[in-house]
Amino acid sequence: MDDLRRAARLAADTAMDHLAAVPGGPVWQPVAEADRRWLTGQPLPAAGRPVTDLLADVRDHVLAYPMGNGHPRFFGWVNSPPSPAGVLVAPLAAAMNPSCAGGEHGGALLERTAVRWLAELVGFPHPPGAGLLTSGASMATIIALATARQRAVGDVRETGLYGHRPLAVYVSAEGHSCVHKAAELLGLGGRYIRTVPVDRAFRMDVDVLRRLIRADQEAGIRPLVVAASAGTVNTGAIDPLGDVAEVAREHGLWFHVDGAYGALGVLADSSDARRAFAGMELADSLALDPHKWLGVPVDAGCVLFRDLAGPRDAFSLVPPYLREDGVDELGWFSEYGPEQTRPFRALRVWATIAHLGRDGIACRVRHSMGLARSLATMVEAADDFELLAPAITSIVAFRYRPAGVDTGTAEALNQAIPAAVQRRGHAFITGTRLSGSAALRACILHPDTTEADLALLLQEIREAVVRRDFRQTPR
Ligand SMILES: *Cc1c(COP(=O)(O)O)cnc(C)c1O
């Protein structure tokens, strides 16, 4: 028989040992063949085993192979280390195991505070109930665009889009693919997604946006939504939100802001940040991801709305056996999105914010942004690196470009560098494409990252090149 209390202590110790060991280990390492077989090929067991045995397996085969994002020298994609408070309360949420579809219980009610806190952190007006936690910004965007579609086509739930004029979606060339996914999923049609070009700082070109909207109107296509970015994944760029808001108002478009990664940057509260984020508060909907910069353990996304009624009109479908009139005028969370059974995400969000406080979170944001500026300065000062975009939030886009290296070689090198650096295990960086060329990008989110870690990252890139530490030598 399991001694669950003893196993629980062991699980907690295992988690803490893991967190303590991460900074001293490789940022990432390839999975050894035997462990890969274990991870992917286990036969279904006929008989069960004690949980303490399972914990040993997890320690030996699973915890040994982290993705890397717990490490202070992980600069890949947009993935943060988990907040300690979030890690600690996660098992408590599992122990309660409610469905946060709605109802009168701790899990569903705490989500009201978690959502309101997020809205207050980023300075978004919050009518009570106008927002919910989601699996991430992808789901948040689906809910936002569905709400925009509902507002534009009042009978869409009856008729679908049959017999209606095409609806156009505007997103910059640097916008996230989740906008495309949502538009396609909602039947808006990929051919009606307008890619708005960006300026030299990778921000949406609002003059072209205007022209595209006018051209669509003249062609009988109805402009539906403009999705602006508050922090793109490639460069951390923030679209000119105030100008986009004005265009949206002029032409009656829904104004959505993708702040999945960057919305928290507004907490930096510098004059630069205030200017860059001005207009975010005018959005009809704002997507943001507590599981990015805030460090809430995955999954935790959020969508906020200016008005309460929109998402409920788009999704509410309450079967009689669930309707309880008069209990809560806001209704259930499941009336505001596609999920019915919903996990207790709010506890991790609440604990993370409650532990750090607004000031603690702002301090982290400033730390990441300050380091991004330092890295940009180091890149500019080095004669073998080239800065590709201003460091506005906490992402730095750059390229390895030593003197005397021709364009073709530089292209091959920059394509090969991320994997080569990752395999060395001392730092983790990912690549992208900017203006048609291979680029490197470092996203800084870890509160323990230092300037020395950034210097080491640049050194690791040089070492990877010098040692030709590539699977295939670039030609
Ligand atoms: C992460 C991210 C998304 C997608 O969000 P998920 O949480 O992965 O669903 C969208 N936009 C931006 C800018 C992001 O960083």
Side-chain angles (χ1 to χ4, degrees):
M1 194 52 205
D2 279 330
D3 180 350
L4 279 181
R5 194 170 288 272
R6 197 173 71 82
R9 294 210 178 93
L10 187 59
D13 283 338
T14 305
M16 291 305 113
D17 290 346
H18 173 73
L19 289 176
V22 162
V27 184
W28 173 84
Q29 61 179 340
V31 179
E33 205 36 57
D35 288 319
R36 179 186 302 278
R37 276 198 299 277
W38 188 92
L39 288 163
T40 61
Q42 293 171 65
L44 172 70
R49 290 190 293 148
V51 278
T52 44
D53 282 14
L54 312 186
L55 290 173
D57 274 354
V58 171
R59 187 193 58 216
D60 296 344
H61 301 293
V62 184
L63 294 175
Y65 297 107
M67 173 178 154
N69 50 318
H71 199 288
R73 284 196 300 276
F74 180 90
F75 304 108
W77 306 293
V78 187
N79 297 101
S80 52
S83 75
V87 171
L88 295 181
V89 299
L92 305 180
M96 287 185 80
N97 198 35
S99 166
C100 294
E104 174 89 1
H105 58 88
L109 294 175
L110 188 62
E111 187 161 339
R112 299 288 179 206
T113 288
V115 169
R116 179 167 46 78
W117 280 5
L118 289 167
E120 285 179 24
L121 277 173
V122 300
F124 191 78
H126 182 61
L132 67 163
L133 300 180
T134 63
S135 58
S138 300
M139 181 56 84
T141 305
I142 289 168
I143 297 173
L145 265 57
T147 303
R149 187 184 65 162
Q150 171 68 36
R151 188 185 71 167
V153 182
D155 61 354
V156 68
R157 297 181 62 175
E158 242 347 269
T159 63
L161 291 172
Y162 298 109
H164 291 283
R165 276 195 293 156
L167 299 162
V169 174
Y170 306 82
V171 59
S172 94
E174 292 288 310
H176 195 274
S177 57
C178 73
V179 175
H180 295 250
K181 271 193 191 172
E184 290 173 13
L185 182 65
L186 291 166
L188 301 173
R191 78 156 64 150
Y192 299 106
I193 301 173
R194 308 296 182 220
T195 304
V196 188
V198 291
D199 64 16
R200 288 173 56 190
F202 301 96
R203 295 151 38 105
M204 184 185 283
D205 184 327
V206 179
D207 289 334
V208 180
L209 170 66
R210 272 207 180 82
R211 283 208 294 279
L212 289 170
I213 290 173
R214 250 181 260 122
D216 277 332
Q217 285 168 332
E218 281 161 20
I221 294 163
R222 203 170 154 194
L224 173 69
V225 54
V226 53
S229 302
T232 62
V233 283
N234 276 344
T235 69
I238 302 169
D239 288 332
L241 302 174
D243 297 344
V244 176
E246 198 173 308
V247 174
R249 203 184 49 233
E250 274 168 30
H251 295 277
L253 276 77
W254 183 276
F255 175 35
H256 174 72
V257 173
D258 178 1
Y261 147 64
L264 275 189
V266 72
L267 281 170
D269 206 32
S270 60
S271 57
D272 282 356
R274 268 196 296 276
R275 209 171 318 121
F277 284 95
M280 187 164 76
E281 74 287 354
L282 301 173
D284 292 300
S285 54
L286 172 66
L288 72 147
D289 265 343
H291 65 210
K292 301 271 177 76
W293 217 336
L294 192 54
V296 174
V298 174
D299 64 0
C302 180
V303 59
L304 300 170
F305 289 92
R306 172 165 298 282
D307 290 320
L308 177 65
R312 202 175 190 184
D313 289 347
F315 287 101
S316 183
L317 199 74
V318 185
Y321 66 90
L322 288 181
R323 190 179 287 288
E324 278 191 74
D325 284 327
V327 172
D328 178 356
E329 69 196 36
L330 297 177
W332 283 34
F333 286 106
S334 54
E335 292 178 68
Y336 294 76
E339 289 180 311
Q340 184 59 39
T341 302
R342 300 173 68 250
F344 187 5
R345 301 180 176 110
L347 194 62
R348 286 175 279 120
V349 175
W350 171 85
T352 300
I353 300 175
H355 181 57
L356 291 169
R358 185 188 188 284
D359 295 347
I361 297 166
C363 183
R364 271 162 193 245
V365 165
R366 280 195 290 270
H367 174 76
S368 311
M369 284 168 119
L371 285 178
R373 267 154 222 222
S374 300
L375 180 58
T377 306
M378 288 180 202
V379 163
E380 278 188 307
D383 47 20
D384 50 353
F385 286 104
E386 182 184 8
L387 187 67
L388 298 178
I392 297 295
T393 41
S394 76
I395 292 175
V396 183
F398 61 108
R399 183 179 292 141
Y400 181 65
R401 189 72 203 264
V405 165
D406 64 71
T407 312
T409 307
E411 181 68 11
L413 281 175
N414 283 281
Q415 281 176 15
I417 282 169
V421 169
Q422 291 167 16
R423 278 200 304 279
R424 292 171 57 79
H426 305 300
F428 194 109
I429 191 169
T430 49
T432 187
R433 298 195 71 74
L434 275 180
S435 317
S437 300
L440 307 173
R441 58 176 286 293
C443 178
I444 301 165
L445 297 174
H446 202 301
D448 299 336
T449 303
T450 62
E451 294 215 355
D453 292 324
L454 304 176
L456 191 142
L457 168 66
L458 296 184
Q459 205 46 40
E460 276 298 302
I461 293 169
R462 295 181 179 114
E463 285 284 313
V465 172
V466 167
R467 287 169 192 268
R468 287 289 189 265
D469 206 1
F470 302 135
R471 287 248 158 92
Q472 290 162 316
T473 310
R475 288 198 292 160

